Amino acid sequence: MPRLLFLTLALAASASAQTTSLRGFVTDAANGQPVLGANVALWAPGAPEALRGAAADGDGFYAVPGLTPGRYVARATAIGYQTRIDTLDVRAGGTTWDVALTPATAELGTVTVQSERTAGSANVEAGFQRIRAEDIAIVPAPDVTGDLANYLVSLPGIVASGDRGGQLFVRGGDPSQNAVFLDGIPVFQPFHVLGFYSAFPADLLQNADVYAGGFDSRYGGVLSSVLDVTARPGNLRRVAASASVAPFVAAASVEGPIVRDRLSVLASARVSTVEALAAQYVSAPLPFSFGDVLGKVYFTPTATSRFSLTGLHTYDRGGIGLASGDRPDEMRYTNSAGGFRYLLLPSQSPLLAEISISYARYDAELGPSAEQAAVRPEVGVRSTSLARFTTDIDLTYLLRGLDLRYGLFLRRTFTSSELDELFQNLVTEREEVLEPGVYAQPTLRVGPLAVSPGFRYTFTEGRLEPRLRATLEVGPHRLSAAAGRYVQPVVGVSDRRDATSVFTAWTVAPEGAVPTADHAILGYRLRPVPWADVSVEGFYKRMTDLSVSEWTAFPRLTTRLQSADGEAYGADLRAEVRRGRAMVLVNYGLAYVTQTITDPRNEVLYGDEVFTFRPAHDRRHQASVVASVPIAGVTASVRWQFGSGLPFSRALGFDVFLPPDGSTDPTGEPGTPRVIYDRPFNAELPTYHRLDLSVDRDFVLRAGTLTVQGGLLNAYDRRNLFAFDVFTLERVDQLPVIPTLGLRFQTRQP
Amino acid sequence: MTRTAALACLVALGALAGCSEDVPAAGGLTESYTLWGALDPTSDTQRLRVVRITPTITSGSSDPLPATVTSTDAATGAVTTWRDSVVTFGDGTIGHVFVAAFRPAFGSVHVVRVTDPERPEVSALVRVPAAIPAPVLLPTTRQQNAPIYTGFWPDAPRLNRARVRYTILSRDCAVHVVEREVRPAESVPVEFGWEVRVPMQTEAPEIVGALPPPSPYALVEIAMTGEVASEDWRPPGGVFDPEVLIDPTVFGNVSGGFGFVGAAYGTALVWQPSPDDLSGTPFRVRFTDC
């Protein structure tokens, strides 16, 4: 590491001898927090056509390299802030310009903003989308604060298991194939058992970067998607607090400076109120209990460094089945994660260095609820654990037209499971894996074209994963593409004979059978006017060495695993219009997902050794419409979601099977109950659709702002299916129509 | 939003609200019953398990089945009506076993029918295998100095459930009986009959591993047993794999239903191994003091 840093600094010093750079941090003047996406533009006086610029990242950091020393006009802009203009003397060896932007009080449409909007539902770039807190706020939710999970399920290509279970399938991938990070710390199951909630309340978010595929070489170890969440730092200027209560969740947060403009702390806690409040007036049982605690310390040791320490703990307990059934009906899990991140900008160098170290642990248990244990004492408990130490060193060297990003990673992962023979042939020979490696992802910019070829290499496994991302942006048009190979050595196995299975056992994949995926994405976005986006994106994903549940007509509560290959392809269409505070989003996703099993037995059963089927999470059509509009002093929001039916194996009938291997006294052999199927996953469950409404209004009081929100979930009381027992025909439905009323109080901000 | 657009949205929502919320119910089968059993030409009592196919999983009912079971001798036309008997099994489930008092002739053909006024008729054509000469033990061969015993069933169309039973004395003169299934590759049709091979090179270690102390052991008797069955009693691929056979369409002979009704009778070939045979195995022929 020291040699690597020395070499980089030497290169940087050499390059900076010829040119110079302008860099610094853009922050919010009211609270000292970074302003993500702020644009800093430079031009020589009298030569505005020679504009150079850069956008601020999640730390508020920007850098404009490759400048000739001299005088420049500098302008900093960001949506929701007043523009700041200054005249600078940029000297050889680098110049720092830190900008504190003042929030604008005018309506958004009247602010003179030249900056590019980098977020938005339709502003997708080869699988990548940036989500901001204000995007989440417009989606009707059962509480005032809003949550990232509630927004994610509106996106095309993301299939949820329902409003319970916390499982998201992204473009045909399994939930265990998604990686989620909070400030660089992995969170293995960030979605609460009640599907509206995650570990990430909207008011703590700075941004959430979603890669539905084609993610670059900074990320690895998963096949399907990445959700990279950054929590905002606590207010660096003054103490602030908020508290809210709603039928599903109560929340409180406090933040403030320990040392003004240098050190802040943020703490947040949420606890479910479902059983205490919502269950009192909703006819359906709501056996959910969950909560989360998040804390962040943010420190600016020097003008050119940043340090943050983040910790998270979540807990969940939820009913996911019937107490009268043979399968365990309750899921319980916890996440505990913590880590720090140190950002350093060596002086007189266009280099950005970052080191992060973290530890994360996930424990889950599937077992009987107290009610089920009383009536079905034979139902057993299954448990699984996953823990990981991670160290990342990231270096970014900024040149004119070239960002050189590369780094080192070291991950050590531990798994353990007690499965009560859930997976009869699962042998966990390896229960830990060490992954040291390197990655590189340079980005070359030539005019409107940006190309980023990269790779990720893991030493111990000898795995090379090539990656490529590219964009071409000309006026209102943007073409984007991504491709790559992805490998997942730590796998989650689930009994996916139906999509509502929520228990995932973690294990290390055997050598020679490590799941691999190849992605290809091509997208086009049109921005005909600054307040509207339309995009279309096609994707293809091929997966090998997946572990899937073995198909059988034995109604077993356990299953065997077998190897399968998978394929997913489709397209997303998105449109977004924002005018002032009004917004309309329309999303549609079309996807085809198949899995293929090659087994000699298939020849007998299906006429061919190779058997291809639709897995339980293959949702062909998805659509959502979200709209938010200010009316008569309130903000009214509506969301309508639609999903075509998921495949399931429809039983044609039931009888008894006696092995016909010879004469058997039929009075002595009871036989085995048998399900008579046609072919696996040959039928579809009912379609899913739901309408959610909400209305909220702010009341400005002397001490702060009181927000009152009223809502109606599942407004026309659609009986959307969550789980269906093929054997008894009993069903568990998703939430019925639920009226909500939430209150939130935030302390006054000058 | 214009009035027309708002009205269109309401109509669309109303249409969607009418989309079915119901899961497609089980059903769609034309088959109505599943039959399991075998006619035995060496027995005066025949038994047949009859299972009524249901739309949900059940543990059975003691109520009489609304079905009549008969069998017809194709040669003579004689019709036998079977009697329903309710059986409660050890696991608490309930089944219906139909019983008839008759002995089907060797080589005869019978049609078993299940008639239910509410369901289509179910039937199975059953061919009873002809009587065959007694099985014989062919000359012993050797493999790596251990014997290979070969039993021959002349004229057997098929031999199912081939097993070998070993009667063994341990050194304390206790008698142990070890029964093992013959590997499918060692039970094969040959010209004019059926052969079963028992290679002691591989069998002996596994037998010894199943025995309690004290060693040594004396192998005093070997019995090969098998069921002579009709030729159609043959699974796909020649192997009885329950994971494959669980699919009701893979193997069966019941029209209008599922399952299999065959015909078979038991046979046995018994001999005492000689000292020369057992050389090369860990067994002795006898203990003089037992």
Side-chain angles (χ1 to χ4, degrees):
Chain A
M1 169 56 189
R3 285 187 184 179
L4 184 63
L5 186 55
F6 174 78
L7 177 63
T8 304
L9 287 172
L11 282 172
S14 171
S16 67
Q18 291 86 34
T19 59
T20 186
S21 65
L22 178 72
R23 63 183 194 174
F25 291 91
V26 183
T27 57
D28 185 314
N31 55 32
Q33 295 172 346
V35 180
L36 167 67
N39 261 292
V40 176
L42 282 179
W43 63 91
E49 68 282 358
L51 188 98
R52 297 280 311 282
D57 65 11
D59 294 293
F61 174 74
Y62 75 92
V64 184
L67 297 172
T68 302
R71 173 158 286 201
Y72 290 88
V73 178
R75 183 185 67 207
T77 55
I79 296 176
Y81 293 89
Q82 297 179 11
T83 300
R84 170 89 177 270
I85 298 177
D86 210 341
T87 303
L88 307 175
D89 288 318
V90 180
R91 291 179 288 278
T95 297
T96 299
W97 184 48
D98 291 331
V99 185
L101 294 179
T102 303
T105 55
E107 286 294 322
L108 187 66
T110 64
V111 173
T112 304
V113 171
Q114 304 297 323
S115 59
E116 272 292 309
R117 186 157 46 80
T118 58
S121 170
N123 192 17
V124 62
E125 183 180 315
F128 169 71
Q129 176 182 351
R130 172 157 288 163
I131 301 170
R132 307 288 294 275
E134 53 264 35
D135 298 326
I136 300 171
I138 67 164
V139 181
D143 78 287
V144 186
T145 55
D147 191 284
L148 178 61
N150 194 39
Y151 179 87
L152 288 175
V153 298
S154 299
L155 299 178
I158 297 182
V159 176
S161 55
D163 51 28
R164 68 187 74 189
Q167 306 279 297
L168 294 187
F169 302 80
V170 181
R171 288 185 172 173
D174 188 88
S176 64
Q177 297 166 355
N178 306 324
V180 180
F181 301 95
L182 172 65
D183 290 351
I185 306 165
V187 185
F188 297 118
Q189 176 45 303
F191 301 106
H192 283 302
V193 68
L194 192 58
F196 298 101
Y197 299 100
S198 66
F200 316 119
D203 57 352
L204 300 186
L205 274 188
Q206 177 165 286
N207 64 279
D209 291 345
V210 179
Y211 289 88
F215 39 93
D216 63 56
S217 58
R218 290 174 295 161
Y219 306 104
V222 287
L223 295 187
S224 191
S225 75
V226 170
L227 173 62
D228 192 352
V229 179
T230 303
R232 63 175 178 79
N235 195 318
L236 283 157
R237 296 281 165 86
R238 54 191 59 84
V239 176
S242 75
S244 66
V245 64
F248 282 21
V249 153
S253 68
V254 63
E255 60 187 296
I258 305 299
V259 178
R260 183 183 165 92
D261 290 331
R262 296 286 303 279
L263 173 65
S264 74
V265 65
L266 167 69
S268 164
R270 290 190 304 179
V271 62
S272 63
T273 55
V274 178
E275 290 175 314
L277 295 180
Q280 304 305 315
Y281 62 89
V282 176
S283 57
L286 300 175
F288 306 110
S289 173
F290 60 91
D292 51 63
V293 177
L294 187 151
K296 183 166 183 172
V297 174
Y298 185 79
F299 181 44
T300 55
T302 66
T304 57
S305 64
R306 299 289 185 269
F307 177 87
S308 65
L309 182 69
T310 306
L312 172 73
H313 178 76
T314 73
Y315 71 89
D316 285 82
R317 176 180 59 80
I320 47 98
L322 298 166
S324 58
D326 295 328
R327 299 172 185 249
D329 70 334
E330 186 171 91
M331 185 72 186
R332 304 177 280 270
Y333 53 93
T334 63
N335 285 285
S336 297
F340 77 83
R341 181 171 162 267
Y342 181 62
L343 175 71
L344 172 67
L345 281 65
S347 60
Q348 302 188 3
S349 163
L351 175 71
L352 188 67
E354 184 177 329
I355 180 169
S356 56
I357 296 177
S358 66
Y359 173 76
R361 182 183 174 93
Y362 168 69
D363 296 280
E365 196 174 83
L366 178 68
S369 61
E371 181 186 352
Q372 185 179 49
V375 296
R376 304 297 299 268
E378 72 278 12
V379 175
V381 177
R382 296 155 183 164
S383 64
T384 188
S385 291
L386 177 62
R388 176 174 294 159
F389 289 98
T390 308
T391 300
D392 291 315
I393 297 171
D394 299 298
L395 301 166
T396 306
Y397 183 52
L398 301 168
L399 296 172
R400 182 170 181 171
L402 175 66
D403 294 345
L404 265 178
R405 182 160 198 162
Y406 52 98
L408 307 170
F409 59 88
L410 178 66
R411 306 190 331 176
R412 185 156 194 169
T413 308
F414 303 87
T415 67
S416 69
S417 297
E418 294 287 338
L419 301 177
D420 191 25
E421 296 188 347
L422 169 60
F423 303 113
Q424 300 162 18
N425 59 338
L426 178 62
V427 178
T428 54
E429 294 176 348
R430 299 201 300 167
E431 294 189 333
E432 66 176 88
V433 63
L434 181 67
E435 299 172 81
V438 296
Y439 79 88
Q441 192 81 43
T443 302
L444 177 66
R445 294 186 180 83
V446 179
L449 177 66
V451 179
S452 181
F455 72 89
R456 189 175 175 91
Y457 182 75
T458 307
F459 294 112
T460 47
E461 308 288 324
R463 284 195 308 264
L464 179 68
E465 300 169 56
R467 311 280 173 88
L468 174 68
R469 293 186 62 83
T471 58
L472 174 65
E473 193 155 357
V474 179
H477 307 279
R478 182 172 71 197
L479 274 175
S480 59
R485 167 155 290 189
Y486 304 85
V487 178
Q488 183 162 346
V490 179
V491 297
V493 290
S494 301
D495 182 0
R496 295 257 180 248
R497 286 176 288 177
D498 69 78
T500 60
S501 174
V502 299
F503 180 76
T504 297
W506 291 95
T507 185
V508 179
E511 292 183 29
V514 179
T516 303
D518 294 319
H519 294 195
I521 299 173
L522 184 63
Y524 168 72
R525 186 217 72 190
L526 172 66
R527 181 169 284 175
V529 291
W531 41 267
D533 286 332
V534 177
S535 68
V536 57
E537 183 170 283
F539 66 91
Y540 176 81
K541 186 189 302 183
R542 181 179 61 196
M543 296 160 280
T544 58
D545 288 313
L546 304 175
S547 286
V548 300
S549 302
E550 189 178 78
W551 176 256
T552 178
F554 283 110
R556 281 200 292 252
L557 299 178
T558 62
T559 181
R560 292 161 55 90
L561 297 173
Q562 57 184 339
S563 179
D565 295 333
E567 191 175 67
Y569 58 92
D572 298 339
L573 300 176
R574 309 178 191 213
E576 178 181 325
V577 175
R578 297 172 185 250
R579 290 290 273 174
R581 290 172 51 205
M583 179 185 303
V584 177
L585 314 174
V586 179
N587 295 322
Y588 169 74
L590 174 68
Y592 295 84
V593 185
T594 58
Q595 290 179 348
T596 300
I597 297 169
T598 303
D599 190 314
R601 283 183 189 165
N602 291 338
E603 182 92 45
V604 177
L605 295 172
Y606 313 116
D608 194 320
E609 196 173 83
V610 178
F611 176 60
T612 298
F613 61 97
R614 295 175 63 190
H617 59 275
D618 174 32
R619 200 184 286 283
R620 182 74 69 247
H621 304 281
Q622 268 185 287
S624 70
V625 177
V626 182
S628 177
V629 60
I631 301 176
V634 303
T635 300
S637 300
V638 60
R639 174 174 66 177
W640 180 76
Q641 293 178 281
F642 171 86
S644 55
L646 294 172
F648 86 110
S649 304
R650 185 170 79 100
L652 302 178
F654 299 84
D655 67 355
V656 172
F657 173 70
L658 269 71
D661 57 349
S663 296
T664 302
D665 179 5
T667 60
E669 172 70 52
T672 306
R674 175 170 68 178
V675 188
I676 301 172
Y677 291 110
D678 180 6
R679 290 170 71 91
F681 302 108
N682 64 326
E684 280 192 356
L685 293 170
T687 58
Y688 166 92
H689 51 90
R690 194 179 86 196
L691 179 68
D692 301 325
L693 308 168
S694 72
V695 173
D696 60 80
R697 177 167 182 169
D698 290 341
F699 297 90
V700 179
L701 309 176
R702 174 181 292 212
T705 301
L706 176 70
T707 302
V708 180
Q709 182 193 71
L712 198 62
L713 296 179
N714 194 8
Y716 50 78
D717 199 18
R718 165 79 177 173
R719 280 186 73 207
N720 288 309
L721 185 74
F722 171 71
F724 181 73
D725 190 322
V726 169
F727 308 123
T728 62
L729 304 184
E730 291 179 320
R731 60 186 285 167
V732 177
D733 285 331
Q734 300 190 32
L735 295 177
V737 57
I738 298 181
T740 65
L741 177 66
L743 301 172
R744 180 179 65 182
F745 179 78
Q746 293 175 287
T747 55
R748 182 169 175 271
Q749 299 296 307
Chain B
M1 178 183 282
T2 66
R3 185 179 298 179
T4 306
L7 188 59
C9 286
L10 284 172
V11 169
L13 280 175
L16 279 170
C19 286
S20 175
E21 300 172 332
D22 298 327
V23 178
L29 281 176
T30 55
E31 293 82 357
S32 52
Y33 283 89
T34 297
L35 310 180
W36 302 108
L39 299 184
D40 184 353
T42 65
S43 171
D44 293 327
T45 304
Q46 312 301 314
R47 294 181 177 83
L48 181 70
R49 178 80 178 271
V50 178
V51 181
R52 197 165 197 250
I53 296 173
T54 54
T56 58
I57 202 164
T58 72
S59 59
S61 168
S62 57
D63 293 338
L65 286 182
T68 303
V69 177
T70 60
S71 60
T72 304
D73 187 320
T76 66
V79 176
T80 304
T81 301
W82 298 49
R83 172 180 55 83
D84 187 5
S85 67
V86 178
V87 177
T88 302
F89 297 102
D91 62 358
T93 58
I94 295 172
H96 291 266
V97 177
F98 281 73
V99 181
F102 75 100
R103 181 183 289 231
F106 288 98
S108 62
V109 176
H110 299 257
V111 177
V112 176
R113 288 191 178 85
V114 176
T115 53
D116 181 326
E118 297 176 1
R119 297 189 174 196
E121 182 181 273
V122 173
S123 64
L125 183 72
V126 183
R127 300 180 191 280
V128 180
I132 66 167
V136 297
L137 186 67
L138 298 181
T140 303
T141 56
R142 300 196 77 84
Q143 177 190 41
Q144 296 180 9
N145 203 35
I148 301 175
Y149 294 111
T150 304
F152 175 63
W153 274 255
D155 297 331
R158 178 158 186 88
L159 193 75
N160 282 338
R161 206 170 271 174
R163 291 197 167 107
V164 184
R165 187 173 65 242
Y166 303 91
T167 304
I168 296 166
L169 295 179
S170 53
R171 191 59 193 92
D172 58 356
C173 299
V175 177
H176 308 282
V177 177
V178 177
E179 187 162 329
R180 292 173 53 78
E181 215 168 297
V182 173
R183 295 185 179 86
E186 306 292 359
S187 177
V188 294
V190 295
E191 197 172 7
F192 305 123
W194 199 277
E195 267 186 14
V196 175
R197 288 162 31 99
V198 180
M200 295 303 291
Q201 173 71 21
T202 51
E203 284 288 287
E206 295 183 18
I207 297 166
V208 170
L211 292 170
S215 61
Y217 305 100
L219 178 55
V220 296
E221 186 179 271
I222 301 175
M224 279 187 191
T225 62
E227 297 178 358
V228 176
S230 52
E231 198 163 3
D232 63 347
W233 200 331
R234 183 182 185 281
V239 177
F240 287 103
D241 182 353
E243 297 289 345
V244 173
L245 296 175
I246 187 70
D247 187 307
T249 63
V250 165
F251 177 68
N253 68 345
V254 178
S255 298
F258 298 118
F260 186 80
V261 184
Y265 57 92
T267 59
L269 171 63
V270 184
W271 73 97
Q272 290 73 42
S274 69
D276 290 340
D277 284 346
L278 293 181
S279 67
T281 74
F283 297 114
R284 301 181 185 183
V285 177
R286 67 179 66 82
F287 297 119
T288 55
D289 54 349
C290 288

